[in-house]
Amino acid sequence: MPRTQARDGDHRSPFQRDKARVLHSAAFRRLQAKTQVLGVGLSDFYRTRLTHSLEAAQIGTGITAQLQGKFPRLTEYVSLDPYLIETLCLAHDIGHPPFGHGGEIALHYMMHEHGGFEGNGQTFRIVTRLEPYTAEHGMNLSRRSVLGLVKYPNFIDTLTNKAMMPTEKTSMRRVKAEQWHPPKGLFRCDENLFDWLLDPLPPQERDAFMAFDTLDAKHSKTRHKSFDCSVMELADDIAYGIHDLEDAIVMGMVKRPEFIEELATPLQDLQVPWLSGAISELGDRLFSLEQYERKNAIGALVNCFITAILIQENPLFTHPLLRYQAVLPHHHSEALALFKQFVYRKVIRKPEVQLLEYKGQQVVMELFEAFSSDPTRLLPENTRSRWLQAEEQNNGHRVIADYISGMTDEFAARLYSNMFVPKRGGVLDTLSL
């Protein structure tokens, strides 16, 4: 990676500069029009990928402050930095494609013979290669920031369970989501950048860091992440489990009886300190007609999880960024899993939401098929240049995936309409894209 160009009077730390690069990137701005759980445009209340990332960043800085207060010597030893954690939380979703998991399924299906696609792997690709802050090295973030964004430190082709993949080809409209969930990992074409990232680690620790568990009916799953990544992931999980629950309640997708039966009662049985005793009252406030009551309850839930987080040691590693992990105690971890599972069942799996995901899935696959059929004719000029260069290494499909995954929901929908709907897509319409 190139060195940062020196600027007179710039006294920012490397992590402050990294945060600025994320905030000012086009990839970050596009999160404002990308689906979080519910489709963008259905309401002006609920969260997009952008507001989710902002809330995760706020929670991440809260976790940082808590850990610095509880473990002052240890956090000083690992140089825990609030700007770093904020940067990771802001950037953690920038690789996710339009239409949420529907778009991810679509791109993985279209790319399964060309290295696959997965949102976290695309995040790594954006910050290290694609975002045009530098000529060839993306945002040129500090090595530690990049390490903190790698949630799954191995490659998709290594982690793929080929027994899960259908043996017969089918039409795009018959692609089943459960058969095409990608393994969570990096793209093999970015291996040189991953090698650069892990270069400071001793070889034996680098191999251990990339270890994974082989599962019978699922893709393999990596075991480890860096300390900073563990903080970011907890912030992400809390934001998803608690704040997305608020969206579901306000939108009327969750009713009080099912909240009590499927979430409050199991939480009481877990005997989580404070939470198990308070969940009944919190439920009253969450479903109160007074908005401030709901907001106070959401804040109390977030605080419960933030203040419970501890630092755990893994003797497998000597490098401090791998040896230590931020973790929730067992009962709190189970409780947060209940919140996440409840949101998944009551929101994400709703037929109305799945219909939107399927619709987005079709849009993305149709766009990919069109562009890959005649790239030099249909791709925009700058993407066409990248495609021609990549095609010399037989990697042109990756450039098409880069282009489509960077689209917002609205841009992809309008482009689809202009390309495929009769009497739409005149020259002026196309130029506006």
Side-chain angles (χ1 to χ4, degrees):
M1 291 282 183
R3 288 187 175 184
T4 301
Q5 182 178 357
R7 294 173 179 169
D8 290 342
D10 187 354
H11 299 295
R12 295 174 299 171
S13 71
F15 303 134
Q16 287 174 307
R17 286 195 291 269
D18 287 353
K19 177 187 171 183
R21 291 175 191 182
V22 171
L23 279 174
H24 293 294
S25 68
F28 180 73
R29 289 195 301 276
R30 291 189 185 108
L31 295 178
Q32 67 185 306
K34 287 193 178 186
T35 294
Q36 166 64 9
V37 174
L38 301 169
V40 172
L42 295 181
S43 167
D44 61 1
F45 172 81
Y46 54 74
R47 290 156 173 89
T48 64
R49 288 274 181 193
L50 179 65
T51 56
H52 161 76
S53 299
L54 292 171
E55 288 176 333
Q58 178 63 30
I59 293 171
T61 56
I63 295 172
T64 301
Q66 285 289 327
L67 293 179
Q68 288 174 330
K70 288 180 182 177
F71 308 96
R73 291 184 179 179
L74 187 51
T75 51
E76 184 176 356
Y77 175 60
V78 298
S79 301
L80 179 61
D81 186 286
Y83 287 105
L84 167 62
I85 300 303
E86 196 173 6
T87 299
L88 301 182
C89 292
L90 291 172
H92 80 280
D93 266 354
I94 60 174
H96 283 261
F99 307 112
H101 291 294
E104 187 175 56
I105 295 293
L107 285 174
H108 183 56
Y109 173 76
M110 302 304 290
M111 287 291 293
H112 73 274
E113 295 180 350
H114 309 282
F117 181 89
E118 196 270 329
N120 296 283
Q122 190 68 16
T123 294
F124 179 81
R125 187 168 170 80
I126 287 170
V127 299
T128 59
R129 191 186 297 276
L130 298 181
E131 187 67 29
Y133 192 93
T134 59
E136 297 178 348
H137 298 287
M139 294 185 191
N140 193 26
L141 303 182
S142 62
R143 186 184 257 114
R144 180 164 175 175
S145 290
V146 177
L147 180 65
L149 286 169
V150 177
K151 295 170 69 172
Y152 309 102
N154 211 309
F155 299 98
I156 283 181
D157 56 354
T158 300
L159 301 171
T160 296
N161 183 349
K162 294 183 179 179
M164 291 178 56
M165 300 175 66
T167 55
E168 297 181 3
K169 288 194 172 184
T170 185
S171 68
M172 291 190 296
R173 294 199 174 180
R174 297 178 65 86
V175 170
K176 294 184 178 180
E178 67 265 19
Q179 295 177 326
W180 292 101
H181 284 290
K184 295 182 181 295
L186 306 174
F187 308 141
R188 183 62 69 176
C189 60
D190 296 324
E191 186 172 8
N192 64 321
L193 294 167
F194 189 60
D195 289 341
W196 163 83
L197 177 65
L198 300 189
D199 185 60
L201 297 177
Q204 65 275 15
E205 296 210 358
R206 181 169 53 195
D207 292 340
F209 183 55
M210 295 176 65
F212 57 88
D213 295 315
T214 302
L215 307 173
D216 289 337
K218 297 181 179 179
H219 295 303
S220 298
K221 186 175 181 181
T222 56
R223 296 175 185 168
H224 306 293
K225 58 182 66 68
S226 72
F227 173 71
D228 305 317
C229 186
S230 71
V231 177
M232 175 268 282
E233 191 165 40
L234 283 171
D236 182 26
D237 286 347
I238 294 169
Y240 168 71
I242 307 302
H243 286 299
D244 287 357
L245 172 63
E246 180 184 13
D247 281 358
I249 292 172
V250 173
M251 298 294 291
M253 302 181 79
V254 171
K255 305 301 181 184
R256 183 168 179 168
E258 56 191 358
F259 173 86
I260 293 171
E261 179 183 353
E262 300 181 41
L263 189 56
T265 300
L267 281 172
Q268 289 172 336
D269 295 339
L270 280 180
Q271 298 182 341
V272 183
W274 181 81
L275 180 59
S276 292
I279 190 62
S280 180
E281 179 192 350
L282 289 171
D284 293 339
R285 293 159 64 186
L286 285 171
F287 288 90
S288 171
L289 296 178
E290 300 292 348
Q291 292 188 31
Y292 70 87
E293 292 280 13
R294 185 183 68 249
K295 298 304 293 185
N296 286 337
I298 292 293
L301 286 169
V302 170
N303 182 71
C304 169
F305 289 108
I306 288 178
T307 55
I309 293 172
L310 304 170
I311 296 179
Q312 193 174 76
E313 190 172 357
N314 185 349
L316 182 64
F317 298 101
T318 61
H319 195 290
L321 291 182
L322 305 185
R323 189 174 182 89
Y324 299 102
Q325 295 281 289
V327 298
L328 278 169
H330 177 68
H331 288 309
H332 284 85
S333 180
E334 286 189 326
L336 185 57
L338 281 176
F339 276 97
K340 291 170 61 182
Q341 291 161 10
F342 185 72
V343 170
Y344 179 78
R345 290 194 310 272
K346 296 302 176 182
V347 181
I348 294 176
R349 293 305 302 174
K350 272 193 177 294
E352 304 92 315
V353 175
Q354 287 302 304
L355 189 148
L356 289 174
E357 278 199 8
Y358 176 80
K359 182 178 178 180
Q361 179 179 314
Q362 298 306 310
V363 168
V364 169
M365 288 191 293
E366 292 281 4
L367 290 176
F368 195 103
E369 186 173 62
F371 285 124
S372 60
S373 71
D374 200 346
T376 57
R377 178 187 181 193
L378 298 176
L379 287 173
E381 188 172 350
N382 59 338
T383 307
R384 187 190 316 145
S385 299
R386 287 188 54 239
W387 182 87
L388 289 169
Q389 292 176 355
E391 192 62 10
E392 295 176 2
Q393 284 80 44
N394 196 30
N395 201 32
H397 284 80
R398 180 62 61 192
V399 173
I400 298 173
D402 291 339
Y403 176 52
I404 295 175
S405 69
M407 296 178 184
T408 64
D409 295 18
E410 175 62 24
F411 183 95
R414 284 194 290 123
L415 183 57
Y416 175 91
S417 178
N418 284 346
M419 292 182 76
F420 299 114
V421 176
K423 297 186 177 180
R424 291 291 304 273
V427 174
L428 291 179
D429 289 333
T430 304
L431 288 175
S432 70
L433 291 170

